Amino acid sequence: MLRLSKLTDYAVVVLVRLDAGTQVQTSPCIAATTGIPEPTVAKVLKSLSAAALVTSQRGARGGYRLARPLEDIPVGEVIAAMDGPITLAACVDGSVTECESLALCPVRGRWDPVNEAIQRALSAISLADMREAAIPAVFRVPPDADLVRVPRNAELGHSNASR
Amino acid sequence: MLRLSKLTDYAVVVLVRLDAGTQVQTSPCIAATTGIPEPTVAKVLKSLSAAALVTSQRGARGGYRLARPLEDIPVGEVIAAMDGPITLAACVDGSVTECESLALCPVRGRWDPVNEAIQRALSAISLADMREAAIPAVFRVPPDADLVRVPRNAELGHSNASR
DNA sequence: GGTAACCGGACCGTGTCAGTCCTGATTGAG
DNA sequence: CTCAATCAGGACTGACACGGTCCGGTTACC
Ligand code: FES
Ligand code: FES
């Protein structure tokens, strides 16, 4: 259904959450304030760090910090960081691979304009646009509260309640 | 990787192929001229028929025909016919379902503008645009040749040669 | 009536993905 | 100096959607 992976959605949530405050934030802290399971948050942060969207501080009192302001992060870049490059079909860009019966395919390489249009649309929207849009104040996290360190064994209450 | 399903790619191939000639074409015939396995072609045609993109003629000497000229078929409609409605995340449009921890999600419903941008990009490109683009003449199928009926047990030679 | 083609399902192997866990490497705090 | 907190990177597993195939039934031409 042309659906992006759930990890990408989490990445946007984490990045927006990371925007509050200038201090580094640990993955357990982010997990607690977003409701996402902690191992998953760690995984997302690692991918984001590999893509240079966040900077990491190792060691005790370490954590993550935004590498760039949200305004400079197009949503397409987040998708590319999590799900790999945006390629609708197997035969876009210069990749000649994959398509086995490419000698017969009449639309060989014809997905390129479509792919390009999507990439352009995804580059025009930044994470700030997604944050700025009208969100009920209830959902907003206070910028300075909840930034206290939470112990690793904090009760999150999301263990097996959903499914 | 934001990749669309292979069936959708096949659908575009089949639709472009169906544009040649005004007569109805059977699925074995299309399968032979495109190199796609015949049962798969039948499945694609069925989905396309359900979406009213092609019209079907039952009975002997039956087959499929384009319901509209290629110019009037945006590629987004084909994707919607094959992969369902275009919904990047689970929470777009009015669907409040799926998102379990929606009370915490800070980007609730914020994928809507992104989704909309993609839909607009996908609606602006028609199948004719994908066909018209420069395709080497070698890959073009002669418009009137190969339109002869092929028996169902024709040797296609794609059984296990590729993998 | 026979035959050729579509119709609408069900069916199953395979591959990808979400989620978890474990073992290091690094750095600040005590 | 020692320890604990935290990130880094990979391996592993179960769930699930997807690609692909097949079957009985129906419709229309010959
Ligand atoms: S889909 Fe790649 S050549 Fe046809
Ligand atoms: S992804 Fe749907 S509410 Fe967050």
Side-chain angles (χ1 to χ4, degrees):
Chain A
M1 309 155 219
L2 202 55
R3 178 161 300 177
L4 45 82
S5 70
K6 208 181 279 189
L7 273 304
T8 307
D9 189 22
Y10 289 162
V12 174
V13 175
V14 167
L15 284 172
V16 169
R17 182 67 192 83
L18 214 49
D19 182 48
T22 56
Q23 294 187 9
V24 294
Q25 302 184 35
T26 70
S27 38
C29 170
I30 297 176
T33 57
T34 55
I36 305 173
E38 194 260 332
T40 303
V41 169
K43 189 178 200 174
V44 168
L45 259 334
K46 271 180 266 189
S47 301
L48 254 30
S49 172
L53 285 175
V54 300
T55 58
S56 62
Q57 175 70 28
R58 302 182 65 160
R61 307 283 304 178
Y64 291 96
R65 187 198 315 260
L66 280 180
R68 296 190 160 273
L70 287 189
E71 286 78 12
D72 295 344
I73 304 180
V75 63
E77 201 165 328
V78 181
I79 297 178
M82 302 301 299
D83 288 356
I86 298 174
T87 53
L88 278 186
C91 54
V92 289
D93 196 10
S95 62
V96 201
T97 53
E98 297 250 13
C99 284
E100 58 274 3
S101 67
L102 78 170
L104 282 171
C105 181
V107 293
R108 163 131 186 75
R110 285 309 101 211
W111 284 107
D112 285 354
V114 182
N115 203 65
E116 213 169 302
I118 288 185
Q119 281 203 1
R120 206 174 312 122
L122 254 32
S123 300
I125 302 181
S126 75
L127 287 187
D129 296 329
M130 300 181 71
R131 168 174 50 87
E132 294 297 342
I135 302 179
V138 191
F139 297 130
R140 270 194 210 275
V141 182
D144 48 357
D146 291 335
L147 274 183
V148 293
R149 309 255 158 190
V150 297
R152 191 182 288 268
N153 52 0
E155 185 55 280
L156 295 178
H158 58 66
S159 53
N160 49 6
S162 54
R163 195 177 313 175
Chain B
M1 311 155 217
L2 202 56
R3 177 161 300 178
L4 46 82
S5 69
K6 207 180 280 188
L7 273 303
T8 306
D9 189 23
Y10 289 161
V12 174
V13 175
V14 167
L15 283 172
V16 169
R17 182 68 193 81
L18 213 48
D19 182 47
T22 56
Q23 294 186 7
V24 293
Q25 302 184 37
T26 70
S27 37
C29 169
I30 297 176
T33 56
T34 54
I36 305 173
E38 194 261 331
T40 302
V41 169
K43 188 177 200 173
V44 169
L45 260 334
K46 272 181 268 188
S47 302
L48 254 30
S49 172
L53 285 175
V54 300
T55 59
S56 61
Q57 176 69 29
R58 302 184 65 162
R61 306 285 302 178
Y64 292 96
R65 185 200 315 260
L66 281 180
R68 277 174 284 164
L70 286 191
E71 286 77 13
D72 295 345
I73 304 180
V75 63
E77 200 163 330
V78 180
I79 296 178
M82 302 302 298
D83 288 356
I86 297 173
T87 53
L88 279 186
C91 53
V92 288
D93 196 8
S95 62
V96 200
T97 53
E98 296 252 14
C99 283
E100 60 274 0
S101 66
L102 79 169
L104 283 171
C105 180
V107 293
R108 163 131 185 76
R110 285 307 104 210
W111 285 106
D112 285 354
V114 182
N115 202 67
E116 214 169 299
I118 289 185
Q119 281 203 0
R120 205 173 314 122
L122 253 34
S123 300
I125 303 180
S126 75
L127 287 186
D129 296 329
M130 301 180 71
R131 166 174 51 88
E132 295 297 344
I135 302 179
V138 190
F139 298 131
R140 271 194 209 274
V141 181
D144 48 357
D146 291 333
L147 274 182
V148 293
R149 308 258 160 188
V150 297
R152 192 183 287 267
N153 52 359
E155 185 57 278
L156 297 178
H158 59 65
S159 52
N160 47 6
S162 54
R163 196 180 315 173

